[in-house]
Every structure is written in C-alpha cells, then in structure tokens.
Amino acid sequence: MSMRFTARVRRRMVALTVVAGLALGAVGCGGGGGDDKKPNTSASASKDRGSAPSAQEGKSEAPLAELKGKDGLLLQIMSAQRDSGGFLTVNGQFTNEGSGSLVIPAELRGDETEILKHGTSLGGATLVDSQGKKRYYVLRDTDGRPLTTTGLTTIESGQTIPVFMQFPTPPTSATDVTLQVPTFSSGTIKISG
C-alpha cells in the first residue's frame, strides 16, 4: 500500500512541478507583462528586457538619431539598449517623408552571402565604437538569419514601420557609437543600460 501511495504522491509532485514551470514560462515570455505596446518584430533575445519601459512606447520622445536615406526615406533611432544576454538592441522606425510609395532598398541587407539567402533585412548595418576602435556587425541565429527586422518591401507616403537590429554589446565604457546603415547617412547614438 505504501508503494501505491508513494507513486501517487510522486505523480502529483511531477504534475505540480510541470504546471508551475509552464506558468513561470508563460509569465517570462511576456504574456501580460506590459509588452503589448511594443512592436512584434521577431522572437529574439531582445524580448527578455523585464519591465523596463521602452523608448519606443513614448512616441513623444525625441529620437537618438535620424539617418536620412534616398527619396525621403528616414530612419529614426528611438533606443539603443543593452540586454542582460550580452546583446545591444537598437529600436527605430522607417518613415516615408516622400510624396509617393517607396521600395525599401535591398542594399540594407548588405552583401554577405549568408545574409543574402534570407531576403530583405537590415543585415548590412554596423555599429562603430571609435574610442575602442571596433566595428560590430548584426548578430545572426544558428541558421545564418540576421537578428533584425526582415521582410521589408515597400512603404507608403507618410507611413511608419517599426524596426530593430541586434548587435554584440560594446563594453560599458562605450556609451556613444556610430550606426551605419547602407544607403543612409550615419548617426551617433547613445547606449542606455
């Protein structure tokens, strides 16, 4: 009888542990932690930011930098935040200030063969730490896909599209870095976190 009782208790403990783990996993994935105002751009390491407010949530905040592209295409950088996993996530938005529809330039993805296989992205972006004399390239997942917004095609006049890019994080001594994006002017951004 004690064997059955012990087996029953073990099954209940395992079930309780599984339920508790699933509940914690759901909470950790942002299932109601106030992330519903953030753009749903990618399932990446940048999602694990805790409850710190995003600069993108406050639309009235001034951008860190404005990079001008061709034909009235503007890239505004809204935040550059260090994440706990060793990533630097840069959030921004494309705005079409022109009078007509624009095609997002294919050159944004850069010219590396591995990134080209995965379509339109911001894979050609780099960060330059001039003080540390280092250049940082966009991170990639295990399949070679860049950790940036992908699938960019066209943008209508007056339309705004949220975008992100992830880089290895520069050392904490580097607070100002230069963002370079193909076909756009470069701009200096301040890192937070």
Side-chain angles (χ1 to χ4, degrees), residues 95-107:
T95 302
N96 180 353
E97 294 185 326
S99 58
S101 175
L102 292 175
V103 174
I104 302 289
E107 294 90 354

Side-chain angles (χ1 to χ4, degrees), residues 116-190:
L116 290 174
K117 291 193 281 187
H118 299 288
T120 310
S121 70
L122 295 165
T126 58
L127 283 178
V128 177
D129 172 12
S130 56
Q131 184 180 23
K133 296 181 172 51
K134 290 194 176 185
R135 179 182 303 265
Y136 297 91
Y137 294 88
V138 168
L139 291 170
R140 300 175 199 169
D141 67 12
T142 54
D143 293 326
R145 284 188 287 272
L147 298 181
T148 72
T149 304
T150 58
L152 302 166
T153 55
T154 59
I155 182 169
E156 300 302 321
S157 178
Q159 184 181 7
T160 298
I161 300 173
V163 295
F164 83 97
M165 298 161 266
Q166 283 191 321
F167 299 91
T169 190
T172 53
S173 61
T175 55
D176 294 326
V177 292
T178 302
L179 178 64
Q180 298 175 332
V181 180
T183 75
F184 282 81
S185 60
S186 56
T188 301
I189 56 176
K190 185 169 280 304

Side-chain angles (χ1 to χ4, degrees), residues 77-111:
I77 303 304
M78 305 310 285
S79 68
Q81 177 106 25
R82 284 186 173 92
D83 294 333
S84 59
F87 304 108
L88 176 72
T89 302
V90 176
N91 288 300
Q93 59 190 21
F94 279 126
T95 302
N96 180 353
E97 294 185 326
S99 58
S101 175
L102 292 175
V103 174
I104 302 289
E107 294 90 354
L108 293 178
R109 63 185 176 183
D111 58 5

Side-chain angles (χ1 to χ4, degrees), residues 54-62 78:
S54 167
Q56 194 134 4
E57 290 177 21
K59 294 293 184 190
S60 62
E61 290 186 34
M78 305 310 285

